[in-house]
Amino acid sequence: MNGSIISWLLLEIFTISIFSDAATASTSAQCPCVDQRSLLLELKNSLIFDTFKSSKLVLWDRSTDSWSGVTCEDGLVVGLDLSKESISGGIEDSSSLFRPEFLQSLNLAFNDFNYTAIPSGLANLSRLAHLNLSNAGFFTHIPAELSRLTKLCTLDLSRVYYDDEPVLNLEKRNLSSLIGDMRELRELYLDGVIVFTKGSEWCDALSSSVPKLEVLSMSFCSLSGPINPSLMSLANLSVIQLSGNNLSSTVPRFFANFSSLKTLSLVDCGLQGEFPHEIFQVQTLQIVELSFNELLQGFLPEFPENGSLKTLVLSHTSHSVENRTSELQLSWKYPKLFH
Ligand SMILES: *[C@@H]1O[C@H](CO)[C@@H](O)[C@H](O)[C@H]1NC(C)=O
Ligand SMILES: *[C@@H]1O[C@H](CO)[C@@H](O)[C@H](O)[C@H]1NC(C)=O
Ligand SMILES: *[C@@H]1O[C@H](CO)[C@@H](O)[C@H](O)[C@H]1NC(C)=O
Ligand SMILES: *[C@@H]1O[C@H](CO)[C@@H](O)[C@H](O)[C@H]1NC(C)=O
Ligand SMILES: *[C@@H]1O[C@H](CO)[C@@H](O)[C@H](O)[C@H]1NC(C)=O
Ligand SMILES: *[C@@H]1O[C@H](CO)[C@@H](O)[C@H](O)[C@H]1NC(C)=O
Ligand SMILES: *[C@@H]1O[C@H](CO)[C@@H](O)[C@H](O)[C@H]1NC(C)=O
Ligand SMILES: *[C@@H]1O[C@H](CO)[C@@H](O)[C@H](O)[C@H]1NC(C)=O
Ligand SMILES: *[C@@H]1O[C@H](CO)[C@@H](O)[C@H](O)[C@H]1NC(C)=O
């Protein structure tokens, strides 16, 4: 697979994994209260951003009462959405970002941090429940301090994958060292972050650390396999995206027991053996992408009467296409299906 296909795939993956942000713009009169305004203006002054491309920061002004991207509770800043603001620096030295101690949601996605490191001061935001640093231009090691954010529900450090771009990595630490204490985590996006692991220790790390996990998105993370039975305990998983990892594994039958499963994306994973057809019986299942697993076999079974399937991609697998009856019933049961 060449780079352009891979980036196209990831783009696809990103378009289907858009989740609503907790931080929404608010401009009500008492938001933020006077003390917090000074803090925000201090933050604005310390950040380096392109005023022509900024649509939120550029408007922050004590006199005009426009605090786009800021969410408050009782006048206190609880959410900051500074995504897509062309911020290129000034965050490392600025302590003003790390002082709104009530902050629960921080979004710095799609900025241009110019290959600087993720500031370890983020770990001081002890109430943070949602942290989004996706495609923000951060580089090198993910600071060990981030593991102190034990209230996180959503952690997004993902990026669109390009072959030649510098990347984030966990350095010599394992996945447990990052998420080990994040018991509340429900959504984990690490796509494109290099997480070198020994065998399937990443499965053990997930199952022992994040029992409430619903979204597991770790495409192109250099994970190795096989997929370990310990993952079975994460029965609330609704999204499993592990494309572009060499798992050299069979697809576990227990995925069929995940009754909320919506997305199963395992493109180019070195999968082998028979795809468990029971998985197709999960009523909530919408997206199944298995392409580029040349050794993966299977057949199209009887599909559930009122299933939710929308996307089924089996190209470059060894799935049997001889079963015309199931192909036909696929097309009449799921008229909107694209495959
Ligand atoms: C992170 O922010 C970006 C840009 O706003 C958004 O597209 C993405 O869905 C967010 N991630 C999560 C997990 O909400
Ligand atoms: C990005 O970093 C490089 C090297 O450190 C520097 O030369 C360049 O001016 C920086 N660009 C911006 C927009 O800050
Ligand atoms: C984070 O908190 C520690 C200990 O409370 C403090 O020493 C440090 O200066 C803080 N870092 C930032 C960037 O605010
Ligand atoms: C992760 O690394 C720590 C030490 O760095 C070690 O104690 C722990 O057993 C490792 N976890 C796994 C699942 O390998
Ligand atoms: C799984 O989801 C159900 C229903 O939302 C919930 O009752 C249960 O507590 C969840 N399990 C875990 C381990 O979070
Ligand atoms: C995938 O992993 C298997 C087992 O570790 C190895 O034999 C194989 O060469 C790897 N394939 C690729 C494309 O790296
Ligand atoms: C899946 O669920 C079925 C019935 O609910 C049960 O018999 C089976 O043992 C479960 N399989 C696994 C692998 O947990
Ligand atoms: C072919 O499809 C039918 C109906 O969906 C199913 O009952 C049968 O098991 C399938 N046969 C094979 C060999 O795949
Ligand atoms: C179809 O879905 C409904 C609820 O959405 C469920 O009650 C019913 O059992 C399903 N029918 C079949 C045949 O699975």
Side-chain angles (χ1 to χ4, degrees):
M1 250 169 109
N2 66 34
S4 63
I5 296 180
I6 295 173
S7 18
W8 177 84
L9 278 170
L10 258 198
L11 271 178
E12 278 292 291
I13 288 164
F14 272 88
T15 51
I16 55 179
S17 46
I18 305 287
F19 282 75
S20 62
D21 272 321
T24 47
S26 166
T27 50
S28 82
Q30 64 275 48
C31 169
C33 67
V34 179
D35 291 358
Q36 301 255 298
R37 286 175 194 208
S38 314
L39 204 55
L40 291 177
L41 289 175
E42 202 182 307
L43 172 62
K44 175 182 174 177
N45 289 335
S46 67
L47 291 176
I48 303 164
F49 63 99
D50 185 336
T51 49
F52 294 104
K53 292 185 186 155
S54 161
S55 65
K56 293 177 266 197
L57 272 175
V58 74
L59 299 175
W60 288 6
D61 187 321
R62 200 187 299 271
S63 58
T64 60
D65 238 350
S66 173
W67 300 94
S68 184
V70 178
T71 314
C72 305
E73 259 168 37
D74 302 325
L76 301 170
V77 175
V78 293
L80 274 182
D81 180 355
L82 296 178
S83 59
K84 303 175 191 149
E85 283 291 290
S86 293
I87 305 170
S88 60
I91 208 165
E92 315 79 31
D93 325 311
S94 113
S95 54
S96 40
L97 176 61
F98 310 123
R99 286 211 316 268
E101 51 188 320
F102 303 102
L103 209 58
Q104 291 163 22
S105 176
L106 176 64
N107 190 344
L108 294 172
F110 292 96
N111 279 295
D112 185 19
F113 281 100
N114 200 15
Y115 308 131
T116 53
I118 294 176
S120 53
L122 283 180
N124 284 16
L125 298 170
S126 59
R127 299 183 195 215
L128 220 49
H130 305 279
L131 177 61
N132 190 340
L133 303 180
S134 82
N135 296 289
F138 288 119
F139 179 44
T140 76
H141 316 316
I142 294 169
E145 288 84 354
L146 278 197
S147 61
R148 297 206 320 250
L149 295 173
T150 56
K151 298 224 168 75
L152 281 184
C153 292
T154 313
L155 176 60
D156 190 346
L157 302 178
S158 65
R159 65 179 193 110
V160 181
Y161 180 90
Y162 297 113
D163 261 343
D164 51 349
E165 285 240 316
V167 289
L168 282 172
N169 66 67
L170 275 175
E171 207 194 1
K172 294 189 180 83
R173 294 174 303 126
N174 56 30
L175 188 59
S176 301
S177 70
L178 176 66
I179 61 168
D181 293 323
M182 298 181 183
R183 306 292 297 177
E184 300 302 315
L185 206 63
R186 282 161 210 271
E187 299 183 18
L188 177 64
Y189 300 83
L190 293 178
D191 309 79
V193 174
I194 304 302
V195 185
F196 290 111
T197 60
K198 283 191 224 81
S200 37
E201 73 182 8
W202 57 276
C203 298
D204 301 329
L206 289 165
S207 60
S208 61
S209 310
V210 288
K212 299 180 179 171
L213 201 66
E214 292 166 15
V215 176
L216 170 62
S217 197
M218 291 183 68
S219 303
F220 302 98
C221 285
S222 299
L223 299 178
S224 49
I227 299 173
N228 184 310
S230 64
L231 221 51
M232 202 189 305
S233 65
L234 300 180
N236 278 2
L237 278 178
S238 69
V239 174
I240 301 174
Q241 297 182 149
L242 296 171
S243 293
N245 293 296
N246 182 10
L247 302 177
S248 48
S249 172
T250 54
V251 178
R253 201 168 295 273
F254 63 76
F255 281 173
N257 283 21
F258 291 180
S259 56
S260 322
L261 192 62
K262 284 197 195 110
T263 300
L264 184 60
S265 209
L266 300 171
V267 175
D268 195 17
C269 284
L271 299 174
Q272 322 147 358
E274 178 119 351
F275 182 80
H277 58 88
E278 295 90 338
I279 293 174
F280 286 120
Q281 306 306 317
V282 178
Q283 293 273 340
T284 50
L285 196 65
Q286 295 180 357
I287 297 167
V288 180
E289 295 172 317
L290 302 170
S291 47
F292 296 97
N293 289 291
E294 281 81 0
L295 298 179
L296 187 68
Q297 299 163 3
F299 63 89
L300 298 177
E302 182 99 31
F303 283 85
E305 207 61 59
N306 51 1
S308 316
L309 206 57
K310 284 188 199 146
T311 303
L312 175 61
V313 188
L314 301 174
S315 53
H316 297 88
T317 66
S318 306
H319 263 78
S320 162
V321 289
E322 283 157 29
N323 201 335
R324 304 307 306 180
T325 40
S326 43
E327 275 209 88
L328 282 175
Q329 55 131 347
L330 249 186
S331 53
W332 66 256
K333 279 183 183 165
Y334 305 101
K336 290 188 192 136
L337 185 75
F338 124 82
H339 60 117

